[in-house]
Amino acid sequence: NAGVMQNPRHLVRRRGQEARLRCSPMKGHSHVYWYRQLPEEGLKFMVYLQKENIIDESGMPKERFSAEFPKEGPSILRIQQVVRGDSAAYFCASSATPGQGRAFFGQGTRLTVV
Amino acid sequence: QQQVKQSPQSLIVQKGGISIINCAYENTAFDYFPWYQQFPGKGPALLIAIRPDVSEKKEGRFTISFNKSAKQFSLHIMDSQPGDSATYFCAARDDKIIFGKGTRLHILP
């Protein structure tokens, strides 16, 4: 049973470009969470999704950021018109049920905006 | 507003000693309190977790102590080893996981 898979592991984008981060949850998991980690800081919640639904996006910036978790395929975190401040590690976690059980994290995508 | 407060920010412990990391929370709706261990360049990995109806949970060298009335919980690492050197995050969950800011633990050989 493969763990949470994130790709790419490293992503470099120029200012103004778009970044697309992918997360494939563990088999059987239908709940996905995205977090952002700045250097020397903890993880900040961004968004919680179930298949085809956004449950909680209270941590998402109002502009340029969007997330989806389609019926088929991985969850996608999209950042449009990236700026230097978007440089961070983005982690995805998945769980089988909400509010219960264990959430497992992927290895993260390290985004660098140049 | 920081919902989960963690201290200390960094900690140095001699090999064989006890490492203690403390956390406090405000939201009484939290129903699950995990601790995560993160090595550089890696994702957080669940270490040990506790529910608020239990005062202590032990797994090997790792123990969580939970004080519901004080809304505090702590991680104790007994017989600390150099391989335990990592960043540790306490967390609390309602429908999503809220993390503390982390403690960088360094175990001296």
PDB file of all heavy atoms in Angstrom, chain A residues 9 33 35 37 40 42-43 45 56 91 99-103 105-107 110, chain B residues 31-32 36 38 41-44 46 89 93-97 99-101 104:
ATOM      1  N   ARG A   9       8.685  16.686  -6.586  1.00  0.00           N
ATOM      2  CA  ARG A   9       9.312  16.913  -5.278  1.00  0.00           C
ATOM      3  C   ARG A   9       9.889  18.320  -5.203  1.00  0.00           C
ATOM      4  O   ARG A   9       9.879  18.940  -4.134  1.00  0.00           O
ATOM      5  CB  ARG A   9      10.421  15.888  -5.034  1.00  0.00           C
ATOM      6  CG  ARG A   9       9.929  14.464  -4.840  1.00  0.00           C
ATOM      7  CD  ARG A   9       9.138  14.311  -3.525  1.00  0.00           C
ATOM      8  NE  ARG A   9       9.837  14.842  -2.368  1.00  0.00           N
ATOM      9  CZ  ARG A   9      10.773  14.201  -1.702  1.00  0.00           C
ATOM     10  NH1 ARG A   9      11.139  12.994  -2.064  1.00  0.00           N
ATOM     11  NH2 ARG A   9      11.360  14.767  -0.648  1.00  0.00           N
ATOM     12  N   TYR A  33      -5.812  16.933   2.622  1.00  0.00           N
ATOM     13  CA  TYR A  33      -5.522  18.201   3.290  1.00  0.00           C
ATOM     14  C   TYR A  33      -4.222  18.757   2.711  1.00  0.00           C
ATOM     15  O   TYR A  33      -3.252  18.023   2.543  1.00  0.00           O
ATOM     16  CB  TYR A  33      -5.324  17.984   4.800  1.00  0.00           C
ATOM     17  CG  TYR A  33      -6.379  17.116   5.454  1.00  0.00           C
ATOM     18  CD1 TYR A  33      -6.322  15.739   5.343  1.00  0.00           C
ATOM     19  CD2 TYR A  33      -7.424  17.675   6.181  1.00  0.00           C
ATOM     20  CE1 TYR A  33      -7.289  14.930   5.943  1.00  0.00           C
ATOM     21  CE2 TYR A  33      -8.387  16.878   6.783  1.00  0.00           C
ATOM     22  CZ  TYR A  33      -8.316  15.501   6.656  1.00  0.00           C
ATOM     23  OH  TYR A  33      -9.272  14.703   7.240  1.00  0.00           O
ATOM     24  N   TYR A  35      -1.144  21.627   3.271  1.00  0.00           N
ATOM     25  CA  TYR A  35      -0.481  22.491   4.247  1.00  0.00           C
ATOM     26  C   TYR A  35       0.705  23.178   3.575  1.00  0.00           C
ATOM     27  O   TYR A  35       1.318  22.635   2.674  1.00  0.00           O
ATOM     28  CB  TYR A  35       0.040  21.679   5.437  1.00  0.00           C
ATOM     29  CG  TYR A  35      -1.037  21.143   6.344  1.00  0.00           C
ATOM     30  CD1 TYR A  35      -1.744  19.984   6.017  1.00  0.00           C
ATOM     31  CD2 TYR A  35      -1.361  21.796   7.530  1.00  0.00           C
ATOM     32  CE1 TYR A  35      -2.738  19.496   6.838  1.00  0.00           C
ATOM     33  CE2 TYR A  35      -2.350  21.318   8.366  1.00  0.00           C
ATOM     34  CZ  TYR A  35      -3.036  20.167   8.012  1.00  0.00           C
ATOM     35  OH  TYR A  35      -4.024  19.691   8.828  1.00  0.00           O
ATOM     36  N   GLN A  37       4.452  25.003   4.534  1.00  0.00           N
ATOM     37  CA  GLN A  37       5.476  25.159   5.567  1.00  0.00           C
ATOM     38  C   GLN A  37       6.551  26.098   5.078  1.00  0.00           C
ATOM     39  O   GLN A  37       7.244  25.825   4.101  1.00  0.00           O
ATOM     40  CB  GLN A  37       6.093  23.808   5.944  1.00  0.00           C
ATOM     41  CG  GLN A  37       7.083  23.898   7.102  1.00  0.00           C
ATOM     42  CD  GLN A  37       7.618  22.537   7.508  1.00  0.00           C
ATOM     43  OE1 GLN A  37       7.796  21.650   6.692  1.00  0.00           O
ATOM     44  NE2 GLN A  37       7.839  22.365   8.807  1.00  0.00           N
ATOM     45  N   GLU A  40      11.731  27.115   8.866  1.00  0.00           N
ATOM     46  CA  GLU A  40      11.808  27.301  10.313  1.00  0.00           C
ATOM     47  C   GLU A  40      10.436  27.546  10.950  1.00  0.00           C
ATOM     48  O   GLU A  40      10.361  28.055  12.064  1.00  0.00           O
ATOM     49  CB  GLU A  40      12.739  28.474  10.659  1.00  0.00           C
ATOM     50  CG  GLU A  40      14.113  28.390  10.020  1.00  0.00           C
ATOM     51  CD  GLU A  40      14.898  27.175  10.468  1.00  0.00           C
ATOM     52  OE1 GLU A  40      14.803  26.823  11.644  1.00  0.00           O
ATOM     53  OE2 GLU A  40      15.590  26.559   9.617  1.00  0.00           O
ATOM     54  N   GLY A  42       6.146  26.075  11.480  1.00  0.00           N
ATOM     55  CA  GLY A  42       5.250  24.916  11.459  1.00  0.00           C
ATOM     56  C   GLY A  42       4.419  24.882  10.202  1.00  0.00           C
ATOM     57  O   GLY A  42       4.521  25.732   9.332  1.00  0.00           O
ATOM     58  N   LEU A  43       3.596  23.875  10.130  1.00  0.00           N
ATOM     59  CA  LEU A  43       2.732  23.718   8.968  1.00  0.00           C
ATOM     60  C   LEU A  43       1.439  24.498   9.167  1.00  0.00           C
ATOM     61  O   LEU A  43       0.809  24.428  10.216  1.00  0.00           O
ATOM     62  CB  LEU A  43       2.402  22.238   8.760  1.00  0.00           C
ATOM     63  CG  LEU A  43       3.570  21.373   8.278  1.00  0.00           C
ATOM     64  CD1 LEU A  43       4.374  20.841   9.435  1.00  0.00           C
ATOM     65  CD2 LEU A  43       3.052  20.227   7.420  1.00  0.00           C
ATOM     66  N   PHE A  45      -2.368  25.102   7.852  1.00  0.00           N
ATOM     67  CA  PHE A  45      -3.462  24.507   7.108  1.00  0.00           C
ATOM     68  C   PHE A  45      -3.901  25.427   5.973  1.00  0.00           C
ATOM     69  O   PHE A  45      -4.010  26.646   6.152  1.00  0.00           O
ATOM     70  CB  PHE A  45      -4.644  24.249   8.043  1.00  0.00           C
ATOM     71  CG  PHE A  45      -5.912  23.889   7.337  1.00  0.00           C
ATOM     72  CD1 PHE A  45      -6.113  22.619   6.842  1.00  0.00           C
ATOM     73  CD2 PHE A  45      -6.907  24.840   7.144  1.00  0.00           C
ATOM     74  CE1 PHE A  45      -7.282  22.279   6.187  1.00  0.00           C
ATOM     75  CE2 PHE A  45      -8.074  24.524   6.486  1.00  0.00           C
ATOM     76  CZ  PHE A  45      -8.263  23.241   6.009  1.00  0.00           C
ATOM     77  N   ASP A  56     -13.281  22.775   3.549  1.00  0.00           N
ATOM     78  CA  ASP A  56     -12.802  23.900   4.362  1.00  0.00           C
ATOM     79  C   ASP A  56     -11.626  24.528   3.645  1.00  0.00           C
ATOM     80  O   ASP A  56     -10.610  23.873   3.465  1.00  0.00           O
ATOM     81  CB  ASP A  56     -12.401  23.388   5.756  1.00  0.00           C
ATOM     82  CG  ASP A  56     -11.951  24.498   6.701  1.00  0.00           C
ATOM     83  OD1 ASP A  56     -11.675  25.621   6.242  1.00  0.00           O
ATOM     84  OD2 ASP A  56     -11.852  24.226   7.915  1.00  0.00           O
ATOM     85  N   PHE A  91       2.791  20.508   1.662  1.00  0.00           N
ATOM     86  CA  PHE A  91       2.559  19.111   2.032  1.00  0.00           C
ATOM     87  C   PHE A  91       1.088  18.762   1.869  1.00  0.00           C
ATOM     88  O   PHE A  91       0.204  19.558   2.170  1.00  0.00           O
ATOM     89  CB  PHE A  91       2.977  18.859   3.484  1.00  0.00           C
ATOM     90  CG  PHE A  91       4.453  18.895   3.698  1.00  0.00           C
ATOM     91  CD1 PHE A  91       5.077  20.053   4.128  1.00  0.00           C
ATOM     92  CD2 PHE A  91       5.226  17.766   3.465  1.00  0.00           C
ATOM     93  CE1 PHE A  91       6.451  20.098   4.324  1.00  0.00           C
ATOM     94  CE2 PHE A  91       6.598  17.796   3.662  1.00  0.00           C
ATOM     95  CZ  PHE A  91       7.212  18.967   4.090  1.00  0.00           C
ATOM     96  N   GLY A  99     -11.883  13.578  10.987  1.00  0.00           N
ATOM     97  CA  GLY A  99     -12.020  13.662  12.433  1.00  0.00           C
ATOM     98  C   GLY A  99     -11.685  12.380  13.163  1.00  0.00           C
ATOM     99  O   GLY A  99     -11.861  12.270  14.346  1.00  0.00           O
ATOM    100  N   GLN A 100     -11.225  11.379  12.493  1.00  0.00           N
ATOM    101  CA  GLN A 100     -10.902  10.111  13.124  1.00  0.00           C
ATOM    102  C   GLN A 100      -9.694   9.518  12.433  1.00  0.00           C
ATOM    103  O   GLN A 100      -9.342   9.873  11.326  1.00  0.00           O
ATOM    104  CB  GLN A 100     -12.081   9.131  12.994  1.00  0.00           C
ATOM    105  CG  GLN A 100     -13.350   9.564  13.681  1.00  0.00           C
ATOM    106  CD  GLN A 100     -14.459   8.563  13.462  1.00  0.00           C
ATOM    107  OE1 GLN A 100     -14.217   7.404  13.125  1.00  0.00           O
ATOM    108  NE2 GLN A 100     -15.692   8.990  13.625  1.00  0.00           N
ATOM    109  N   GLY A 101      -9.090   8.580  13.095  1.00  0.00           N
ATOM    110  CA  GLY A 101      -8.012   7.857  12.436  1.00  0.00           C
ATOM    111  C   GLY A 101      -6.772   8.706  12.243  1.00  0.00           C
ATOM    112  O   GLY A 101      -6.623   9.756  12.842  1.00  0.00           O
ATOM    113  N   ARG A 102      -5.904   8.239  11.404  1.00  0.00           N
ATOM    114  CA  ARG A 102      -4.604   8.865  11.224  1.00  0.00           C
ATOM    115  C   ARG A 102      -4.520   9.550   9.861  1.00  0.00           C
ATOM    116  O   ARG A 102      -4.972   9.026   8.868  1.00  0.00           O
ATOM    117  CB  ARG A 102      -3.513   7.809  11.317  1.00  0.00           C
ATOM    118  CG  ARG A 102      -3.412   7.098  12.647  1.00  0.00           C
ATOM    119  CD  ARG A 102      -2.796   5.717  12.522  1.00  0.00           C
ATOM    120  NE  ARG A 102      -1.611   5.697  11.712  1.00  0.00           N
ATOM    121  CZ  ARG A 102      -0.424   5.248  12.175  1.00  0.00           C
ATOM    122  NH1 ARG A 102      -0.310   4.840  13.412  1.00  0.00           N
ATOM    123  NH2 ARG A 102       0.617   5.208  11.366  1.00  0.00           N
ATOM    124  N   ALA A 103      -3.934  10.704   9.848  1.00  0.00           N
ATOM    125  CA  ALA A 103      -3.638  11.379   8.588  1.00  0.00           C
ATOM    126  C   ALA A 103      -2.175  11.135   8.261  1.00  0.00           C
ATOM    127  O   ALA A 103      -1.312  11.308   9.099  1.00  0.00           O
ATOM    128  CB  ALA A 103      -3.922  12.872   8.694  1.00  0.00           C
ATOM    129  N   PHE A 105       1.135  11.954   5.814  1.00  0.00           N
ATOM    130  CA  PHE A 105       1.672  13.036   4.999  1.00  0.00           C
ATOM    131  C   PHE A 105       2.555  12.500   3.874  1.00  0.00           C
ATOM    132  O   PHE A 105       3.241  11.484   4.022  1.00  0.00           O
ATOM    133  CB  PHE A 105       2.492  14.000   5.849  1.00  0.00           C
ATOM    134  CG  PHE A 105       1.657  14.971   6.620  1.00  0.00           C
ATOM    135  CD1 PHE A 105       1.035  14.593   7.795  1.00  0.00           C
ATOM    136  CD2 PHE A 105       1.481  16.275   6.162  1.00  0.00           C
ATOM    137  CE1 PHE A 105       0.252  15.488   8.505  1.00  0.00           C
ATOM    138  CE2 PHE A 105       0.702  17.176   6.869  1.00  0.00           C
ATOM    139  CZ  PHE A 105       0.088  16.778   8.041  1.00  0.00           C
ATOM    140  N   GLY A 106       2.545  13.234   2.775  1.00  0.00           N
ATOM    141  CA  GLY A 106       3.488  12.980   1.707  1.00  0.00           C
ATOM    142  C   GLY A 106       4.822  13.631   2.000  1.00  0.00           C
ATOM    143  O   GLY A 106       5.012  14.274   3.042  1.00  0.00           O
ATOM    144  N   GLN A 107       5.753  13.485   1.054  1.00  0.00           N
ATOM    145  CA  GLN A 107       7.105  14.022   1.232  1.00  0.00           C
ATOM    146  C   GLN A 107       7.183  15.503   0.914  1.00  0.00           C
ATOM    147  O   GLN A 107       8.187  16.145   1.210  1.00  0.00           O
ATOM    148  CB  GLN A 107       8.078  13.261   0.320  1.00  0.00           C
ATOM    149  CG  GLN A 107       8.178  11.784   0.620  1.00  0.00           C
ATOM    150  CD  GLN A 107       9.269  11.473   1.604  1.00  0.00           C
ATOM    151  OE1 GLN A 107       9.444  12.146   2.601  1.00  0.00           O
ATOM    152  NE2 GLN A 107      10.034  10.436   1.313  1.00  0.00           N
ATOM    153  N   ARG A 110       8.659  21.119  -2.832  1.00  0.00           N
ATOM    154  CA  ARG A 110       9.368  22.342  -2.491  1.00  0.00           C
ATOM    155  C   ARG A 110       9.340  23.288  -3.678  1.00  0.00           C
ATOM    156  O   ARG A 110       9.984  23.014  -4.692  1.00  0.00           O
ATOM    157  CB  ARG A 110      10.784  22.028  -2.038  1.00  0.00           C
ATOM    158  CG  ARG A 110      10.786  21.595  -0.576  1.00  0.00           C
ATOM    159  CD  ARG A 110      11.866  20.594  -0.235  1.00  0.00           C
ATOM    160  NE  ARG A 110      11.689  20.110   1.130  1.00  0.00           N
ATOM    161  CZ  ARG A 110      10.874  19.123   1.477  1.00  0.00           C
ATOM    162  NH1 ARG A 110      10.187  18.464   0.565  1.00  0.00           N
ATOM    163  NH2 ARG A 110      10.756  18.762   2.740  1.00  0.00           N
TER     164      ARG A 110
ATOM    165  N   ASP B  31     -10.423  16.860  19.471  1.00  0.00           N
ATOM    166  CA  ASP B  31     -10.720  15.520  19.989  1.00  0.00           C
ATOM    167  C   ASP B  31      -9.597  14.516  19.766  1.00  0.00           C
ATOM    168  O   ASP B  31      -9.759  13.326  20.032  1.00  0.00           O
ATOM    169  CB  ASP B  31     -12.005  14.992  19.333  1.00  0.00           C
ATOM    170  CG  ASP B  31     -11.846  14.794  17.824  1.00  0.00           C
ATOM    171  OD1 ASP B  31     -10.808  15.212  17.268  1.00  0.00           O
ATOM    172  OD2 ASP B  31     -12.768  14.235  17.203  1.00  0.00           O
ATOM    173  N   TYR B  32      -8.471  15.020  19.312  1.00  0.00           N
ATOM    174  CA  TYR B  32      -7.377  14.097  18.971  1.00  0.00           C
ATOM    175  C   TYR B  32      -6.100  14.917  18.952  1.00  0.00           C
ATOM    176  O   TYR B  32      -6.079  16.004  18.363  1.00  0.00           O
ATOM    177  CB  TYR B  32      -7.673  13.476  17.605  1.00  0.00           C
ATOM    178  CG  TYR B  32      -6.672  12.485  17.064  1.00  0.00           C
ATOM    179  CD1 TYR B  32      -6.508  11.235  17.630  1.00  0.00           C
ATOM    180  CD2 TYR B  32      -5.921  12.803  15.930  1.00  0.00           C
ATOM    181  CE1 TYR B  32      -5.609  10.321  17.099  1.00  0.00           C
ATOM    182  CE2 TYR B  32      -5.029  11.903  15.402  1.00  0.00           C
ATOM    183  CZ  TYR B  32      -4.874  10.661  15.974  1.00  0.00           C
ATOM    184  OH  TYR B  32      -3.987   9.757  15.446  1.00  0.00           O
ATOM    185  N   TYR B  36       3.968  14.787  15.704  1.00  0.00           N
ATOM    186  CA  TYR B  36       4.641  14.428  14.465  1.00  0.00           C
ATOM    187  C   TYR B  36       6.139  14.681  14.594  1.00  0.00           C
ATOM    188  O   TYR B  36       6.577  15.629  15.266  1.00  0.00           O
ATOM    189  CB  TYR B  36       4.093  15.242  13.283  1.00  0.00           C
ATOM    190  CG  TYR B  36       2.714  14.800  12.840  1.00  0.00           C
ATOM    191  CD1 TYR B  36       1.565  15.281  13.455  1.00  0.00           C
ATOM    192  CD2 TYR B  36       2.560  13.889  11.790  1.00  0.00           C
ATOM    193  CE1 TYR B  36       0.307  14.875  13.052  1.00  0.00           C
ATOM    194  CE2 TYR B  36       1.294  13.481  11.375  1.00  0.00           C
ATOM    195  CZ  TYR B  36       0.184  13.972  12.016  1.00  0.00           C
ATOM    196  OH  TYR B  36      -1.060  13.566  11.613  1.00  0.00           O
ATOM    197  N   GLN B  38       9.561  15.265  12.225  1.00  0.00           N
ATOM    198  CA  GLN B  38       9.958  15.629  10.865  1.00  0.00           C
ATOM    199  C   GLN B  38      11.468  15.752  10.772  1.00  0.00           C
ATOM    200  O   GLN B  38      12.080  16.522  11.522  1.00  0.00           O
ATOM    201  CB  GLN B  38       9.300  16.936  10.425  1.00  0.00           C
ATOM    202  CG  GLN B  38       9.576  17.300   8.960  1.00  0.00           C
ATOM    203  CD  GLN B  38       8.906  18.597   8.533  1.00  0.00           C
ATOM    204  OE1 GLN B  38       8.725  19.510   9.339  1.00  0.00           O
ATOM    205  NE2 GLN B  38       8.541  18.688   7.263  1.00  0.00           N
ATOM    206  N   GLY B  41      13.961  17.834   5.011  1.00  0.00           N
ATOM    207  CA  GLY B  41      13.645  17.401   3.657  1.00  0.00           C
ATOM    208  C   GLY B  41      12.570  16.346   3.565  1.00  0.00           C
ATOM    209  O   GLY B  41      12.290  15.848   2.467  1.00  0.00           O
ATOM    210  N   LYS B  42      11.970  16.003   4.674  1.00  0.00           N
ATOM    211  CA  LYS B  42      10.940  14.952   4.691  1.00  0.00           C
ATOM    212  C   LYS B  42       9.610  15.512   5.166  1.00  0.00           C
ATOM    213  O   LYS B  42       9.542  16.599   5.736  1.00  0.00           O
ATOM    214  CB  LYS B  42      11.363  13.807   5.626  1.00  0.00           C
ATOM    215  CG  LYS B  42      12.686  13.166   5.271  1.00  0.00           C
ATOM    216  CD  LYS B  42      12.617  12.441   3.949  1.00  0.00           C
ATOM    217  CE  LYS B  42      13.915  11.705   3.667  1.00  0.00           C
ATOM    218  NZ  LYS B  42      13.890  11.021   2.339  1.00  0.00           N
ATOM    219  N   GLY B  43       8.558  14.736   4.918  1.00  0.00           N
ATOM    220  CA  GLY B  43       7.257  15.122   5.435  1.00  0.00           C
ATOM    221  C   GLY B  43       7.110  14.724   6.892  1.00  0.00           C
ATOM    222  O   GLY B  43       7.855  13.870   7.392  1.00  0.00           O
ATOM    223  N   PRO B  44       6.163  15.324   7.607  1.00  0.00           N
ATOM    224  CA  PRO B  44       5.926  14.930   9.003  1.00  0.00           C
ATOM    225  C   PRO B  44       5.420  13.494   9.069  1.00  0.00           C
ATOM    226  O   PRO B  44       4.635  13.063   8.222  1.00  0.00           O
ATOM    227  CB  PRO B  44       4.835  15.901   9.462  1.00  0.00           C
ATOM    228  CG  PRO B  44       4.788  16.971   8.439  1.00  0.00           C
ATOM    229  CD  PRO B  44       5.256  16.380   7.157  1.00  0.00           C
ATOM    230  N   LEU B  46       3.638  10.658  11.695  1.00  0.00           N
ATOM    231  CA  LEU B  46       2.944  10.488  12.960  1.00  0.00           C
ATOM    232  C   LEU B  46       3.790   9.641  13.906  1.00  0.00           C
ATOM    233  O   LEU B  46       4.235   8.548  13.564  1.00  0.00           O
ATOM    234  CB  LEU B  46       1.594   9.822  12.727  1.00  0.00           C
ATOM    235  CG  LEU B  46       0.749   9.575  13.971  1.00  0.00           C
ATOM    236  CD1 LEU B  46       0.336  10.906  14.604  1.00  0.00           C
ATOM    237  CD2 LEU B  46      -0.494   8.757  13.622  1.00  0.00           C
ATOM    238  N   PHE B  89       6.453  18.303  16.168  1.00  0.00           N
ATOM    239  CA  PHE B  89       5.275  19.154  16.156  1.00  0.00           C
ATOM    240  C   PHE B  89       4.166  18.505  16.971  1.00  0.00           C
ATOM    241  O   PHE B  89       3.819  17.338  16.754  1.00  0.00           O
ATOM    242  CB  PHE B  89       4.748  19.350  14.729  1.00  0.00           C
ATOM    243  CG  PHE B  89       5.679  20.096  13.820  1.00  0.00           C
ATOM    244  CD1 PHE B  89       6.548  19.411  12.982  1.00  0.00           C
ATOM    245  CD2 PHE B  89       5.691  21.477  13.807  1.00  0.00           C
ATOM    246  CE1 PHE B  89       7.414  20.091  12.139  1.00  0.00           C
ATOM    247  CE2 PHE B  89       6.548  22.176  12.959  1.00  0.00           C
ATOM    248  CZ  PHE B  89       7.411  21.479  12.132  1.00  0.00           C
ATOM    249  N   ARG B  93      -6.731  18.361  16.612  1.00  0.00           N
ATOM    250  CA  ARG B  93      -7.613  18.194  15.458  1.00  0.00           C
ATOM    251  C   ARG B  93      -9.071  18.327  15.840  1.00  0.00           C
ATOM    252  O   ARG B  93      -9.527  17.786  16.847  1.00  0.00           O
ATOM    253  CB  ARG B  93      -7.389  16.822  14.836  1.00  0.00           C
ATOM    254  CG  ARG B  93      -8.083  16.615  13.508  1.00  0.00           C
ATOM    255  CD  ARG B  93      -7.994  15.172  13.102  1.00  0.00           C
ATOM    256  NE  ARG B  93      -8.676  14.326  14.055  1.00  0.00           N
ATOM    257  CZ  ARG B  93      -8.578  12.999  14.053  1.00  0.00           C
ATOM    258  NH1 ARG B  93      -7.795  12.401  13.188  1.00  0.00           N
ATOM    259  NH2 ARG B  93      -9.226  12.292  14.932  1.00  0.00           N
ATOM    260  N   ASP B  94      -9.823  19.126  15.035  1.00  0.00           N
ATOM    261  CA  ASP B  94     -11.266  18.992  15.030  1.00  0.00           C
ATOM    262  C   ASP B  94     -11.607  18.297  13.719  1.00  0.00           C
ATOM    263  O   ASP B  94     -11.646  17.087  13.665  1.00  0.00           O
ATOM    264  CB  ASP B  94     -11.979  20.339  15.225  1.00  0.00           C
ATOM    265  CG  ASP B  94     -11.312  21.476  14.458  1.00  0.00           C
ATOM    266  OD1 ASP B  94     -10.641  21.213  13.449  1.00  0.00           O
ATOM    267  OD2 ASP B  94     -11.470  22.625  14.867  1.00  0.00           O
ATOM    268  N   ASP B  95     -11.798  19.026  12.635  1.00  0.00           N
ATOM    269  CA  ASP B  95     -11.926  18.354  11.344  1.00  0.00           C
ATOM    270  C   ASP B  95     -10.678  18.531  10.505  1.00  0.00           C
ATOM    271  O   ASP B  95     -10.590  17.992   9.408  1.00  0.00           O
ATOM    272  CB  ASP B  95     -13.148  18.859  10.574  1.00  0.00           C
ATOM    273  CG  ASP B  95     -13.062  20.329  10.270  1.00  0.00           C
ATOM    274  OD1 ASP B  95     -12.203  21.011  10.859  1.00  0.00           O
ATOM    275  OD2 ASP B  95     -13.859  20.810   9.460  1.00  0.00           O
ATOM    276  N   LYS B  96      -9.708  19.252  10.988  1.00  0.00           N
ATOM    277  CA  LYS B  96      -8.419  19.395  10.327  1.00  0.00           C
ATOM    278  C   LYS B  96      -7.353  19.471  11.408  1.00  0.00           C
ATOM    279  O   LYS B  96      -7.644  19.742  12.572  1.00  0.00           O
ATOM    280  CB  LYS B  96      -8.382  20.639   9.452  1.00  0.00           C
ATOM    281  CG  LYS B  96      -8.661  21.941  10.192  1.00  0.00           C
ATOM    282  CD  LYS B  96      -8.725  23.098   9.228  1.00  0.00           C
ATOM    283  CE  LYS B  96      -9.032  24.393   9.954  1.00  0.00           C
ATOM    284  NZ  LYS B  96     -10.444  24.467  10.348  1.00  0.00           N
ATOM    285  N   ILE B  97      -6.129  19.238  11.029  1.00  0.00           N
ATOM    286  CA  ILE B  97      -5.038  19.231  12.002  1.00  0.00           C
ATOM    287  C   ILE B  97      -4.432  20.619  12.102  1.00  0.00           C
ATOM    288  O   ILE B  97      -4.063  21.216  11.102  1.00  0.00           O
ATOM    289  CB  ILE B  97      -3.969  18.202  11.598  1.00  0.00           C
ATOM    290  CG1 ILE B  97      -4.575  16.799  11.566  1.00  0.00           C
ATOM    291  CG2 ILE B  97      -2.798  18.246  12.572  1.00  0.00           C
ATOM    292  CD1 ILE B  97      -3.639  15.754  11.013  1.00  0.00           C
ATOM    293  N   PHE B  99      -1.302  22.647  13.731  1.00  0.00           N
ATOM    294  CA  PHE B  99       0.024  22.340  14.239  1.00  0.00           C
ATOM    295  C   PHE B  99       0.551  23.441  15.148  1.00  0.00           C
ATOM    296  O   PHE B  99       0.277  24.627  14.946  1.00  0.00           O
ATOM    297  CB  PHE B  99       1.013  22.179  13.085  1.00  0.00           C
ATOM    298  CG  PHE B  99       0.881  20.882  12.344  1.00  0.00           C
ATOM    299  CD1 PHE B  99      -0.091  20.713  11.373  1.00  0.00           C
ATOM    300  CD2 PHE B  99       1.738  19.827  12.610  1.00  0.00           C
ATOM    301  CE1 PHE B  99      -0.212  19.516  10.682  1.00  0.00           C
ATOM    302  CE2 PHE B  99       1.621  18.632  11.921  1.00  0.00           C
ATOM    303  CZ  PHE B  99       0.651  18.477  10.956  1.00  0.00           C
ATOM    304  N   GLY B 100       1.350  23.032  16.131  1.00  0.00           N
ATOM    305  CA  GLY B 100       2.196  23.977  16.826  1.00  0.00           C
ATOM    306  C   GLY B 100       3.352  24.371  15.924  1.00  0.00           C
ATOM    307  O   GLY B 100       3.518  23.836  14.828  1.00  0.00           O
ATOM    308  N   LYS B 101       4.165  25.309  16.387  1.00  0.00           N
ATOM    309  CA  LYS B 101       5.237  25.836  15.550  1.00  0.00           C
ATOM    310  C   LYS B 101       6.469  24.956  15.505  1.00  0.00           C
ATOM    311  O   LYS B 101       7.381  25.201  14.720  1.00  0.00           O
ATOM    312  CB  LYS B 101       5.611  27.250  16.004  1.00  0.00           C
ATOM    313  CG  LYS B 101       4.545  28.283  15.691  1.00  0.00           C
ATOM    314  CD  LYS B 101       5.080  29.694  15.803  1.00  0.00           C
ATOM    315  CE  LYS B 101       4.060  30.688  15.279  1.00  0.00           C
ATOM    316  NZ  LYS B 101       4.569  32.088  15.289  1.00  0.00           N
ATOM    317  N   ARG B 104      12.786  22.146  17.639  1.00  0.00           N
ATOM    318  CA  ARG B 104      13.971  21.506  17.046  1.00  0.00           C
ATOM    319  C   ARG B 104      14.767  20.859  18.169  1.00  0.00           C
ATOM    320  O   ARG B 104      15.315  21.530  19.030  1.00  0.00           O
ATOM    321  CB  ARG B 104      14.799  22.538  16.306  1.00  0.00           C
ATOM    322  CG  ARG B 104      14.069  23.165  15.130  1.00  0.00           C
ATOM    323  CD  ARG B 104      14.959  24.087  14.347  1.00  0.00           C
ATOM    324  NE  ARG B 104      15.977  23.356  13.605  1.00  0.00           N
ATOM    325  CZ  ARG B 104      16.874  23.921  12.821  1.00  0.00           C
ATOM    326  NH1 ARG B 104      16.902  25.232  12.679  1.00  0.00           N
ATOM    327  NH2 ARG B 104      17.752  23.199  12.169  1.00  0.00           N
TER     328      ARG B 104
END
